[in-house]
Amino acid sequence: MPNDTSAPASAPLDEPTAGTPAPEGSTAAGYRAVFAVREFRAVFAAHLLSLLGVVVSELALTVLVYDLTGSPLLSALTFALGFLPYVVGGTLFAGVADRCPARRVLVTCDLVCAACVAVMVLPATPVAGLLVLRCVVAAVAPVFTGTRTAALTDILGEGDLYVLGRSLLRLVSQSALLVGFGAGGVLLTALSPRGAITVTVLTFLCSAALLRLGTADRPARAAAGAGGALLKESLAGARAVLGDRGIRGLLLLFWVPAFFVVAPEALAAPYADAIGAGPAGVGLLMCAMAVGHIGAELYVGTALGPAARSRLVLPAAALGLLPLVLYAFHPGTALAPLVLVLTGAGAAYVIGLDQWFVEAVPEELRGRAMTILTAGLMTVQGLGMALAGLAAEFLPVHQVVAYSGAAGTVCTLLLVAEVRRTRVRYRSARQG
C-alpha cells in the first residue's frame, strides 16, 4: 500500500500537509491549524461518534442488567467492567499497534466493537453474555486508543500540532462525560435499554467508515517479531517501555495523579447526601472537575506556546491535587464544586507531558507505549475508585477525599523530583 502523507490535490493552498506542523505565527494558529489537516478531521469526527456511543451504551447496559436481574451488585459490576479489562488488552495485545497498519487496526477494532454491541441487543443474549461482551469491548479499547494516538504523529507530526491534536481528543472525552450521560438519559426516556444500545452499533460503524475513507493507509510501524508471536512481542514492548527509567517516570506522572484524583467523583453521591445537596448536587459534583479540566486545557492550548506549556508541566502536576485537601473542612454545596473545578484545572499539565512522552519513546515502540499508557490510565482510575469506596466504609467521605489529596500530592512531588532528574539527563544526552 502506498504511504501517501501528502495533502490531497484538491486541498486549499493554506491547508497544512498531513504530518507537517504549521509554522509558528501562521494565521492557522493553535487548534485551527489542527482542524485544517483533513485526516485529523476524520479522526476527530470518528472519535466523537464512537465516544458518545460508548457513554450512552455504558449507561443503557447498566440499566438493562439491572432490569434483567434486579441486582445492584451486577449493575455496578457492569459499569466497573469498563475499566478492569484495560490492563489485559493493553498488555497482551499492545503489539498489534506497531506490527499492523494503523488504519487496519482502527477499523477492525471498530467493527469488533460493533459486532459485540449488536449481539448485546439480541433478546436471547443472557446476562453472563452481556458481561463477557462488555469485557471484550473494554479489552479492545486500549489497542484502538493507543494505535490512534501513535497514528496522530504520522498525521500531525511530532511537534505542536500533535500536542494540540491530543488535547482536542482529550477535551472531547471530557465533554462526552457531560453530554453523553445526559443524552443517554434522554434516549432511555424514549427507547428501551436495548434500543439505546442499538445506537452504539451505528456509531461504531460510522466511526469505522470515517477512518477507512478519511485516513491514509500507511505501512506498519514495525515488522512482526521473528517468531511472529503477538503475545511475546506485546510483552517485549511492555518490558522495553517500562524498563526505560525516563519513559517509566513519564508514565507514572500520567498515572499517579489520576489514581488519587478520582476519589471525589467516586464518592460524589455519598458526599452530596452528607451535605444535603440531593440528586442535583450529585450532578454538580460529577461535572465540576470536568469543567475545570476543559477550561484550563483550552486556555493552555490557545494562550500558551510549546515552551510555556513545557515549563508548566512539573509545577502544575505537583500542585494539582492540593485543592482536594480543602475537603478536610467539609465544604458545602457552594464551595465543594469550586474545589473540584480547581482540581480539574490542575490536569492541564498533561498537554505538555504529551510532548515529553512522544519525544522520549522510540518510533518503533510508539504504538505499544501509547497502548500501555491508555491501559494503565484506565486501570489506575478504576483501582482508585474502588479503594476510595473501600476507605469510605471506615472513614467519613470528606476525610477520604482530603487524605487522597494529601497523599497524592506527596507521591506526585516525589515523582516530579524523579522526572526532573531524568529530564536533565535526557536533555544532556541529546545535547551531547
Side-chain angles (χ1 to χ4, degrees), residues 420-432:
R420 190 187 299 276
R421 284 193 294 269
T422 56
R423 286 285 296 172
V424 168
R425 292 171 185 160
Y426 173 73
R427 286 195 295 268
S428 298
R430 289 190 67 182
Q431 290 169 358

Side-chain angles (χ1 to χ4, degrees), residues 200-408:
T200 306
V201 180
L202 299 177
T203 60
F204 278 127
L205 292 176
C206 289
S207 174
L210 282 166
L211 293 169
R212 175 63 180 80
L213 301 174
T215 61
D217 188 14
R218 297 177 175 87
R221 195 173 301 277
L230 174 61
L231 177 59
K232 180 179 178 182
E233 193 170 335
S234 298
L235 293 176
R239 284 194 298 270
V241 169
L242 297 174
D244 185 294
R245 182 178 176 182
I247 297 174
R248 185 173 63 247
L250 298 178
L251 281 171
L252 289 173
L253 199 55
F254 281 106
W255 293 344
V256 169
F259 175 80
F260 291 100
V261 81
V262 295
E265 291 180 322
L267 300 174
Y271 190 70
D273 182 62
I275 62 176
V282 177
L284 187 61
L285 294 174
M286 291 290 287
C287 294
M289 200 177 295
V291 169
H293 186 165
I294 292 168
E297 185 148 352
L298 279 173
Y299 173 78
V300 170
T302 55
L304 302 183
R309 291 197 293 265
S310 185
R311 288 194 298 269
L312 183 67
V313 172
L314 296 182
L319 300 175
L321 295 170
L322 203 54
L324 292 182
V325 177
L326 295 175
Y327 260 72
F329 302 101
H330 213 294
T333 309
L335 291 179
L338 178 60
V339 170
L340 295 178
V341 168
L342 290 174
T343 305
Y349 79 94
V350 175
I351 192 170
L353 187 58
D354 279 334
Q355 183 61 53
W356 290 7
F357 192 67
V358 79
E359 288 172 355
V361 176
E363 184 178 357
E364 65 274 10
L365 283 175
R366 194 167 289 155
R368 281 166 285 183
M370 298 300 183
T371 302
I372 292 166
L373 167 60
T374 302
L377 193 58
M378 294 300 291
T379 301
V380 299
Q381 288 181 88
L383 288 173
M385 289 179 181
L387 291 177
L390 178 63
E393 292 289 325
F394 304 97
L395 296 171
V397 170
H398 70 283
Q399 290 184 16
V400 174
V401 176
Y403 288 145
S404 294

